[in-house]
Structure formats: C-alpha cells, structure tokens
C-alpha cells in the first residue's frame, strides 16, 4: 500500500468521524448544536483542523443534509421493495406513509433537511445537490414517473395553471422530467405537462404541510392521534390526483 493510499484512507476515516459526530450532535441537540467547535471538541482535535475537510460550517451542514436524505431514501426504497412495480397506488401510499413515519422518528433530521433554509449567500455544493436529488427526491419522482408512464389519470391540462405560475412551473416541470428520465423511467414531455407538474407540486405541498404540522406539534387544536387525520388527507390526495 502506498503512502498516498494510506493518507487517503485516513482522511476518509476522519471525514466519516466528523459526519458521525455532526449527526450525533444534530440528533441530541438540534441543528444549532452542529458547530465546528463542538465537533472538534468531541473528536479531540482543533477546530482549524476541520477546515481541511470542510470550508465552513455551512459546507458541512449541506453534506450532512445529503447524508440524511440518502438514509431516508434507503428507508423508503426498502418499503417499496416488497411491492410489485405495477402496484402504483400501493407505491404512492407506501412512500407517503414512509415519509411521515421517518419524519416522526427523526424530528431533528427532518428539521435540518425540510425546515432549515440555507443562510443567504450560501450555496449547496454541486455534489451535495446531486446526492439529494439522486436519493430522496428520486424515490418520489420514480414512483410518479411510473404512474405517468403507465397512463394512469393524474395528468391535467396546462390551461388549469394560473398564468402567474406558468414560468416557474415550466422550469419545475423540466427538472422533474430530467430527474424521472435519469431514474430509468421512460417518460415523454407530452406525459408531463405543466398542468401535471402543478398537480404534483400541490400533492407535495399538502403532504409536507400535514407532516410538518405533526412533527412540530402545530395543529390548531389538540390531536390525540394524528394518524387518522393523516390517512384521511392521504385518501383525499390519492383521489384528487385520479388514483
């Protein structure tokens, strides 16, 4: 083994330790507790030494977000593995229920990824962006792509979209189409119009809103068991998109 190879392995091992300690701080005390100083203290090294691995706290946070998304994607993929690819409704329900279950079990990770915007001027590294897109988002979009590719009736005409949203939704549609195609689902542009992208966005907004209210305990009235409320909302969502 060459000296360079040993250094590379040592560097990779230290990087794993840094991320593991960052994750531990996140789970125990929330996103604000994840600082380079705290990580260095726990690892017994100096804070400046961490800059050989991450240019800033924000850089580390974005990679930590990517790690969390990868873990969530693996959990969702595990739930889908027992279902037939033709069971479209089952896949949709499994992903939605799996997302809620994960969020409730991992409130700090949910907060970091879905409720902690990056500070102004901070840009996520390209590699982290790709990891997020290729893990968590890919699961949702692959399922949606299969539904669309099989001609199930969730498509909507483009004229249903408010004019003020057309430009933004066109860009959103193009990104969706690219990600779905990269996931291995053969989907033409005619199967994913702006109107359908609008429906998919509304679906996500309602799903996320329900889960976030439950994670943060922000229902406008006490709810002793939120699962029936979630299942009712989920049934409405599935019906509204035509499944």
């Amino acid at each position: 083994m060459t000296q360079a190879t040993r250094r590379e392995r040592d560097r990779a091992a230290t990087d794993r330790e840094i991320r593991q300690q960052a994750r531990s701080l996140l789970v125990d005390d929330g996103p604000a507790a994840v600082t380079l100083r705290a990580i260095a203290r726990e690892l017994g090294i100096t804070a400046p030494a961490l800059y050989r691995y991450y240019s800033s706290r924000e850089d580390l946070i974005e990679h930590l977000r990517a790690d969390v998304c990868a873990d969530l994607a693996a959990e969702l993929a595990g739930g889908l593995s027992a279902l037939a690819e033709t069971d479209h409704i089952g896949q949709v329900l499994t992903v939605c229920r799996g997302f809620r279950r994960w969020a409730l079990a991992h409130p700090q990770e949910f907060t970091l990824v879905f409720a902690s915007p990056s500070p102004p001027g901070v840009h996520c590294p390209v590699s982290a962006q790709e990891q997020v897109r290729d893990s968590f988002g890919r699961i949702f979009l692959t399922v949606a792509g299969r539904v669309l590719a099989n001609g199930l009736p969730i498509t909507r005409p483009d004229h249903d979209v408010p004019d003020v949203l057309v430009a933004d939704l066109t860009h959103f549609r193009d990104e969706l189409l690219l990600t779905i195609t990269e996931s291995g689902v053969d989907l033409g542009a005619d199967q994913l119009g702006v109107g359908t992208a609008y429906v998919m966005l509304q679906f996500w907004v309602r799903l996320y809103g329900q889960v976030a209210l439950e994670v943060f305990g922000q229902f406008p009235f006490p709810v002793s068991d939120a699962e029936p409320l979630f299942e009712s909302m989920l049934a409405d969502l599935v019906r509204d998109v035509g499944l």
Side-chain angles (χ1 to χ4, degrees), residues 12 32 74 81:
S81 63

Side-chain angles (χ1 to χ4, degrees), residues 128-147:
Q129 284 179 333
E130 290 176 347
Q131 284 179 328
V132 171
R133 186 191 69 184
D134 291 344
S135 55
F136 165 70
R138 185 176 292 272
I139 296 293
F140 280 92
L141 294 177
T142 298
V143 172
R146 288 172 182 163
V147 171

Side-chain angles (χ1 to χ4, degrees), residues 99-119:
F99 175 63
R100 172 182 177 265
R101 183 171 56 252
W102 174 87
L104 293 174
H106 302 85
Q108 300 290 19
E109 288 97 328
F110 177 87
T111 299
L112 178 72
V113 174
F114 297 100
S116 300
S118 297

Side-chain angles (χ1 to χ4, degrees), residues 205-223:
V205 167
R206 291 172 64 185
L207 175 65
Y208 167 78
Q210 175 90 18
V211 171
L213 285 172
E214 190 172 356
V215 170
F216 299 130
Q218 294 298 316
F219 285 115
F221 57 89
V223 178

Side-chain angles (χ1 to χ4, degrees), residues 142-163:
T142 298
V143 172
R146 288 172 182 163
V147 171
L148 290 167
N150 283 274
L152 296 180
I154 75 167
T155 56
R156 295 292 186 276
D158 292 354
H159 61 68
D160 287 348
V161 179
D163 292 341

Side-chain angles (χ1 to χ4, degrees), residues 30 37 49 86 89 108 144 159 176 185 197 219 234:
R37 184 180 299 276
T86 55
I89 295 179
Q108 300 290 19
H159 61 68
L176 290 180
V185 178
F219 285 115
L234 190 55

